[in-house]
Amino acid sequence: MDEPLTRTLISQTQLDRPRGRLLYRTVLVLTVAGFTVVFLGPLYWLVTGGLKSTAEVIQNPPTLFPAELHPDTYATAWRQLGMGRLLFNTLYYAFGALALQLLFDVAAAYALSKLRPVLGNLILGMMLATLMIPAAVLIVPQYLTVLDLPLLHVNLVNTPWAIWLPTVANAFNIFLLKRFFDSIPEDLMAAAAIDGASPFRALCSIVLPMSRPILGVVSIFAVVNVWKDFLWPMLVQPDPANQTLNIGIKSLSMGVPQNVIIAALAIASVPTVVFFLIFQRNIMSGLTSGGLKG
Amino acid sequence: MAAISVAGKAARPTTHEGRLWRKVRQNLTAHGFLFGALLCFGFFTWYPMVREVVMSFQKTKRGKTSWVGLDNIDQLLQDPAFWQAWRNTLLFTLLALVLGFAVPFFVAVLLNELRHAKSYLRILVYLPVMMPPVASVLLFKYFYDPDFGLFNSILRALHLPTSAWLNSPDTAMLSVVIASTWMNMGGATLIYLAALQGIPGELYEAAELDGAGLWRRVWHVTIPQTRLILSLLLLLQVVATMQVFVEPFLLTGGNGPQGSTTTVVYLVYQYAFNFNNYGAASALGLIMLVVLAGFSALYVRLSRKAD
């Protein structure tokens, strides 16, 4: 599955010489081995660590293979840390955030790109300006806002809205979507309008079907961002029953045997890692097309 | 361009009033589509931005809020933790740049030269980025354990001196940076890789014909050709690494031995959520904003050039 060769730093003729070939083989083997140890090794340690006995985990020097297998550690971790609950919460937050982002951000980008309302450019500018504000700076006022929403005076803490709604205010998503919508020919929109299609109809039957790749990228990042977030869910979901995997494992890990925690960490890593392996092509392309401006 | 008609009466482009009404309706529809996002931006970014500035000059005591001018900033300047947090954050940023900037570039150049196992290696580099931070961080915490941790076991096996890692003020921050680099280097590597793939092969050929060796080709072709992306990522990384929170918070409980891993954002967190001093926390955030604004402005200028 390797891509066609283009000329890079080292030329093909150099590689074809016996010395070049030997050198290339050595570097390749070293790189593959090194990368496997450095990036896959810790994951291997995590999965096998969860299979070891409590004594073996803290044994010195550590063992490469578990002496005896204890798959029941995973069951213990699942029960003792309430992993099912944590997993469900995380999924619920991630996919709720995804749904709201798709709904509101797509609508906003569509309005800014195709309907062009009065003050549209000013609104887009104000949205993009928020990208310049370091996220950490707004944590305190954002938290106080969620605690007592202005005008409405509702407290969103311990409700999923505290996680869902702020994710909609994502200028990067809107920018990415708007840029993609801009590339959809104006003639198509005009033709739809002549046929009597309402703006909503045009969005559903022209814009959305053409935008599948960008919608995929936005969706993946929406889910992963919620899955990986730490500080915000820790602040706004203080009730243990509502916590995410990240926070739950951290706060429940005191006083639990190490092999159990390691098993819990392995369980927590599986969903995103599998998700990544399935969507790696989309993630990689999304990263290089839009990641730079993130 | 054909008139965009909205169904019904408004479609008749007759009188001046009809046109006006149509414009109003179009705008109402458009703003209807914008409504949800506008509301969220208003509540969760625009309003908090204003509030951040206002709170920096206020103090709240027993539910009563009063204006205190620059008192909050004054209080911060007198707090030794403030200076230590900035020193630590700058140290983290510096170390993270040396590791988190140079290592991904080297890895990207290496990956770009290899003709086999490309997708496998790319997937591996990005794998840690997808892991929940708690999993990666606690994993490293076990590796760093001075007694039974993997790192010291390897060092012992090689008959090298072991380290106290997170337990010593001298090595705590470096340990945090190593873990953080492992967790985050995938993103930068793939962006560099994309930039390297955009370099026209003829440039290397021409340089080779002129007798340029490997290092001179790196220096005179690879680096100039990727300079813009390198500098953009450098700025992005400065802005991101200066906001480091999760890694020290989980690895060392935030402060670390003798406050050696207290970062500015952790101090913001402490002021706000441990001391309930929202005023000082906001003022600290505002100082951070001012410091980072310079980098952000530079980033915007450069990325305009990149377009």
Side-chain angles (χ1 to χ4, degrees), chain A residues 104-170:
Chain A
F104 291 136
D105 288 354
V106 165
Y110 174 66
L112 291 171
S113 170
K114 293 293 178 217
L115 307 177
R116 304 230 185 79
V118 186
L119 300 180
N121 280 334
L122 178 75
I123 291 170
L124 183 66
M126 280 174 68
M127 286 176 173
L128 291 178
T130 62
L131 286 177
M132 307 264 298
I133 311 288
V137 169
L138 289 183
I139 275 287
V140 176
Q142 262 173 346
Y143 173 73
L144 294 176
T145 305
V146 166
L147 215 54
D148 177 21
L149 212 60
L151 310 173
L152 307 170
H153 297 292
V154 218
N155 182 354
L156 297 180
V157 171
N158 271 327
T159 71
W161 300 104
I163 288 181
W164 291 340
L165 291 177
T167 63
V168 174
N170 184 333

Side-chain angles (χ1 to χ4, degrees), chain A residues 2-3 7-10 24 36 38 60 62 117-118 126 135-137 142 228 246 250 258 272 284 292, chain B residues 27 44 46 52 113 115-116 120 122 125 129-130 133-134 142 147 153 182 190 208 217 243 250 299-300:
Chain A
D2 289 331
E3 285 143 37
R7 167 67 217 250
T8 55
L9 198 49
I10 296 162
Y24 174 76
T36 308
V38 170
N60 188 9
V118 186
M126 280 174 68
V137 169
Q142 262 173 346
K228 290 190 61 182
N246 277 328
K250 156 87 170 74
Q258 287 203 331
T272 38
M284 303 271 188
L292 184 57
Chain B
N27 267 298
F44 301 108
W46 295 333
E52 163 81 22
E113 294 309 317
R115 277 125 173 100
H116 302 92
Y120 173 71
R122 253 181 290 179
V125 175
V129 180
M130 299 304 284
V134 169
Y142 289 126
D147 299 320
S153 300
W182 184 84
L190 293 186
E208 202 171 11
R217 265 176 277 156
Q243 298 181 65
L250 288 173
Y299 176 79
V300 170

Side-chain angles (χ1 to χ4, degrees), chain A residues 141, chain B residues 48-58 67 282 286 289:
Chain B
M49 270 157 71
V50 176
R51 197 161 174 193
E52 163 81 22
V53 178
V54 171
M55 283 198 314
S56 302
F57 303 101
Q58 289 181 335
W67 291 88
S282 304
L286 205 61
L289 178 66

Side-chain angles (χ1 to χ4, degrees), chain A residues 7-11 14 17 19, chain B residues 109 113 203-224:
Chain A
R7 167 67 217 250
T8 55
L9 198 49
I10 296 162
S11 68
Q14 258 182 316
R17 280 178 213 136
R19 213 172 74 96
Chain B
V109 171
E113 294 309 317
L203 291 178
Y204 287 119
E205 243 150 64
E208 202 171 11
L209 286 178
D210 287 346
L214 180 64
W215 297 117
R216 297 193 49 169
R217 265 176 277 156
V218 171
W219 191 249
H220 291 292
V221 179
T222 313
I223 292 182

Side-chain angles (χ1 to χ4, degrees), chain B:
Chain B
M1 202 188 84
I4 294 178
S5 59
V6 183
K9 272 175 278 173
R12 250 179 287 136
T14 46
T15 56
H16 178 70
E17 262 164 85
R19 260 209 310 273
L20 184 74
W21 171 232
R22 205 173 51 203
K23 266 236 138 68
V24 170
R25 263 189 74 150
Q26 268 173 25
N27 267 298
L28 281 179
T29 323
H31 281 286
F33 275 92
L34 271 171
F35 184 70
L38 279 183
L39 219 57
C40 290
F41 269 94
F43 277 134
F44 301 108
T45 56
W46 295 333
Y47 170 69
M49 270 157 71
V50 176
R51 197 161 174 193
E52 163 81 22
V53 178
V54 171
M55 283 198 314
S56 302
F57 303 101
Q58 289 181 335
K59 251 205 162 53
T60 304
K61 255 193 187 147
R62 290 182 212 89
K64 269 184 64 179
T65 304
S66 54
W67 291 88
V68 294
L70 296 175
D71 277 10
N72 287 322
I73 292 174
D74 223 38
Q75 185 189 354
L76 286 172
L77 296 183
Q78 279 165 27
D79 184 353
F82 173 83
W83 299 103
Q84 191 171 21
W86 276 105
R87 270 199 306 276
N88 291 340
T89 303
L90 290 178
L91 177 67
F92 179 88
T93 307
L94 206 71
L95 288 173
L97 285 186
V98 172
L99 278 178
F101 189 69
V103 173
F105 185 68
F106 175 77
V107 168
V109 171
L110 184 67
L111 289 190
N112 199 36
E113 294 309 317
L114 294 179
R115 277 125 173 100
H116 302 92
K118 269 173 183 276
S119 354
Y120 173 71
L121 294 173
R122 253 181 290 179
I123 290 173
L124 280 191
V125 175
Y126 203 66
L127 208 55
V129 180
M130 299 304 284
M131 285 177 62
V134 169
S136 335
V137 162
L138 289 186
L139 195 66
F140 268 83
K141 220 173 162 175
Y142 289 126
F143 291 166
Y144 282 138
D145 192 285
D147 299 320
F148 60 81
L150 191 65
F151 288 165
N152 274 354
S153 300
I154 294 173
L155 289 176
R156 264 185 229 115
L158 297 172
H159 299 287
L160 291 168
T162 57
S163 165
W165 300 109
L166 295 167
N167 294 349
S168 151
D170 301 325
T171 51
M173 194 51 113
L174 182 66
S175 310
V176 173
V177 174
I178 292 173
S180 171
T181 305
W182 184 84
M183 289 163 67
N184 299 316
M185 68 175 279
T189 305
L190 293 186
I191 292 172
Y192 293 145
L193 196 56
L196 289 174
Q197 280 163 355
I199 301 179
E202 301 88 67
L203 291 178
Y204 287 119
E205 243 150 64
E208 202 171 11
L209 286 178
D210 287 346
L214 180 64
W215 297 117
R216 297 193 49 169
R217 265 176 277 156
V218 171
W219 191 249
H220 291 292
V221 179
T222 313
I223 292 182
Q225 285 290 313
T226 45
R227 182 175 290 147
L228 201 56
I229 289 194
L230 286 180
S231 39
L232 278 175
L233 253 119
L234 185 72
L235 291 172
L236 212 59
Q237 287 207 22
V238 169
V239 175
T241 48
M242 285 189 76
Q243 298 181 65
V244 62
F245 174 83
V246 179
E247 290 94 339
F249 183 75
L250 288 173
L251 278 172
T252 62
N255 285 320
Q258 294 165 38
S260 55
T261 66
T262 310
T263 59
V264 175
V265 177
Y266 182 69
L267 198 63
V268 171
Y269 171 85
Q270 271 196 317
Y271 265 111
F273 304 109
N274 294 349
F275 313 148
N276 280 321
N277 188 344
Y278 294 124
S282 304
L284 185 51
L286 205 61
I287 294 174
M288 176 145 218
L289 178 66
V290 172
V291 171
L292 291 182
F295 291 107
S296 299
L298 213 58
Y299 176 79
V300 170
R301 278 190 61 174
L302 277 178
S303 68
R304 280 230 182 93
K305 222 162 96 189
D307 281 341

Side-chain angles (χ1 to χ4, degrees), chain A residues 239-251:
Chain A
D239 184 349
N242 297 337
Q243 276 169 354
T244 61
L245 275 170
N246 277 328
I247 318 302
I249 294 180
K250 156 87 170 74
S251 58

